[in-house]
Amino acid sequence: MVIAIGLVRLTSEGDPGGVSLPPRFGFRSGGHTVHASRSIMLADLGQLLDSTPVSATYDDYRVAIMEENVLGKRIVSARLWTWKRLRELYGLDPRVTVFRCFREFWEVDSEGRPLLAMLCACARDPLLRMSASVILQAPFDAIVTSVDFVDAIRADAPDRFSPASLRAVAHRVCSSWRQSGHLTGTKVRRRARPIASPAATAYALLLGRLTGVRGPLLFSTFWMALLDAPREGLYDLAAQASRRGWIDFRRAGSVVDVGFSKLLTPEEQEALHESD
């Protein structure tokens, strides 16, 4: 089954049709999902990033979790499990493009952090990407339950999980979308609008560019759909991000140009040009 969201046509494995998700930039495809055991773990992520500098290395994150125990896990096995899942979901390595840029935006945008985390997590968790169809097709204020995710996952991957595992995965996915702000409430969860900020907009535009999209089409990608904002609002947020020096954004009528030289290394820019 293929689900069209923005320019990205998501398959049952969370992979796009017609748009690449290049692993060289940190995207992950295939059948693996962190949601087999965890949600997006926003609280743990925030605690880890609050305890480490933006210049932290891969080893710094490992030491912070495993040796300094900044997440307060009493059992070593729990620290190891959390380290592995956070690493799989976000990268935790400045050499990984999608994580390095995410970390830079995290530092300057406290309000948009839940949405930033969801954008990064979707870049690296195929099942979470695929589950976005439930969220983006639900009317605002409509009740969304874990059963909706069960039905969606079963339809796209009927033999992937046992019934019990499927219910558990769906519950974690539902929790992740609540943490990002796309759902609100505890016992009854309703569709809501997440906080779309200039930093989250710049990051969503960057993710689109890393998948090979350019120009005005950058505002019609899966990543921009996750922002849940009207097109004119997205243009305004992009302009704000440009004024803050994060991206280069120019718009004249229907002509739209977005540049990312302030975010990407020369090597990354060269790789993009080669893929173009």
Side-chain angles (χ1 to χ4, degrees):
M1 179 177 180
V2 178
I3 302 169
I5 303 173
L7 290 179
V8 181
R9 296 174 62 80
L10 301 176
T11 69
S12 61
E13 297 300 333
D15 293 333
V19 179
S20 65
L21 294 179
R24 72 172 70 182
F25 297 127
F27 294 94
R28 300 182 73 190
S29 300
H32 183 76
T33 176
V34 169
H35 285 77
S37 60
R38 291 289 189 274
S39 68
I40 62 171
M41 301 184 288
L42 185 61
D44 280 339
L45 175 68
Q47 196 169 347
L48 173 63
L49 299 187
D50 286 345
S51 303
T52 51
V54 68
S55 59
T57 65
Y58 179 85
D59 284 337
D60 291 334
Y61 292 115
R62 180 187 59 78
V63 168
I65 294 174
M66 295 300 301
E67 299 179 22
E68 297 174 358
N69 193 24
V70 298
L71 301 183
K73 308 295 182 183
R74 296 182 180 180
I75 305 173
V76 173
S77 61
R79 300 180 200 174
L80 179 61
W81 194 255
T82 302
W83 155 245
K84 287 182 176 180
R85 295 301 171 261
L86 285 172
R87 181 188 65 196
E88 292 170 4
L89 198 52
Y90 298 103
L92 301 184
D93 189 337
R95 295 170 296 184
V96 176
T97 309
V98 297
F99 172 73
R100 188 191 70 247
C101 296
F102 157 76
R103 180 69 206 260
E104 292 175 3
F105 284 128
W106 180 278
E107 293 298 307
V108 298
D109 182 19
S110 58
E111 188 178 43
R113 286 176 177 177
L115 190 48
L116 283 168
M118 176 55 75
L119 287 165
C120 187
C122 277
R124 295 182 56 80
D125 191 309
L127 185 139
L128 186 61
R129 281 198 299 275
M130 185 263 288
S131 74
S133 61
V134 174
I135 292 296
L136 298 180
Q137 293 171 11
F140 289 103
D141 203 42
I143 294 176
V144 177
T145 71
S146 59
V147 174
D148 295 315
F149 293 104
V150 166
D151 294 341
I153 296 170
R154 182 186 290 123
D156 287 309
D159 302 319
R160 186 168 174 183
F161 301 103
S162 69
S165 295
L166 179 57
R167 288 192 296 271
V169 168
H171 178 76
R172 296 185 194 102
V173 168
C174 191
S175 173
S176 290
W177 290 108
R178 182 186 61 79
Q179 292 174 56
S180 70
H182 289 85
L183 296 175
T184 187
T186 51
K187 293 183 178 181
V188 177
R189 294 178 178 174
R190 294 181 179 274
R191 182 70 165 85
R193 288 189 186 274
I195 297 175
S197 64
T201 302
Y203 186 53
L205 288 167
L206 173 68
L207 292 174
R209 181 67 188 98
L210 293 176
T211 62
V213 182
R214 292 180 291 175
L217 293 180
L218 282 169
F219 288 85
S220 300
T221 66
F222 166 74
W223 318 103
M224 295 301 279
L226 292 180
L227 300 182
D228 269 350
R231 180 63 60 88
E232 283 301 320
L234 293 174
Y235 285 146
D236 181 63
L237 290 168
Q240 293 181 49
S242 181
R243 288 194 293 269
R244 297 183 189 187
W246 300 332
I247 61 175
D248 294 311
F249 172 71
R250 292 174 292 277
R251 179 191 178 202
S254 61
V255 179
V256 175
D257 182 56
V258 188
F260 303 95
S261 61
K262 299 168 185 176
L263 291 172
L264 301 176
T265 67
E267 293 75 18
E268 290 165 342
Q269 294 181 63
E270 183 178 355
L272 271 180
H273 291 319
E274 290 176 354
S275 64
D276 289 339

